[in-house]
Amino acid sequence: VQDESPMQILSMIIDEVVGRLPDVQQRMIKLRIEGNEVQQIADETSRSKRSVERVLQKVRQQLAQLIDDDAAQVEAQDE
């Protein structure tokens, strides 16, 4: 893992989180990464804007937790 770039690591973390989601939620994340606005995603997935916002927030929280956990592991290894 030492020779992987931070972007590669981040990409793996995102793939891990998104891969656990139901298909429609994976699509929401993909659309957001592609730059679509929340309302566009809601229209595209036939979900309410609020549902899309909840999914995006949930994924952001999961990513933050995994990144924090990964950073803590790296710090522990460096000690």
Side-chain angles (χ1 to χ4, degrees):
V1 178
Q2 292 280 357
D3 54 1
E4 292 178 4
S5 76
M7 288 305 293
Q8 288 173 314
I9 293 169
L10 181 58
S11 180
M12 290 176 1
I13 291 171
I14 292 170
D15 289 345
E16 180 181 335
V17 170
V18 173
R20 298 179 192 161
L21 299 173
D23 289 344
V24 70
Q25 292 181 5
Q26 288 184 28
R27 182 155 167 71
M28 288 177 188
I29 300 304
K30 181 177 181 232
L31 289 167
R32 187 63 172 157
I33 290 171
E34 291 172 354
N36 290 280
E37 295 296 325
V38 173
Q39 187 60 57
Q40 292 172 304
I41 298 167
D43 294 343
E44 184 76 25
T45 59
S46 301
R47 298 296 194 273
S48 71
K49 183 177 176 183
R50 183 69 188 123
S51 291
V52 173
E53 290 169 342
R54 277 193 223 109
V55 168
L56 295 175
Q57 181 62 32
K58 176 182 163 189
V59 171
R60 278 192 288 271
Q61 289 170 344
Q62 290 175 343
L63 287 172
Q65 182 63 47
L66 281 173
I67 290 168
D68 287 346
D69 290 349
D70 191 55
Q73 286 178 344
V74 169
E75 287 177 12
Q77 290 174 354
D78 288 344
E79 292 179 356

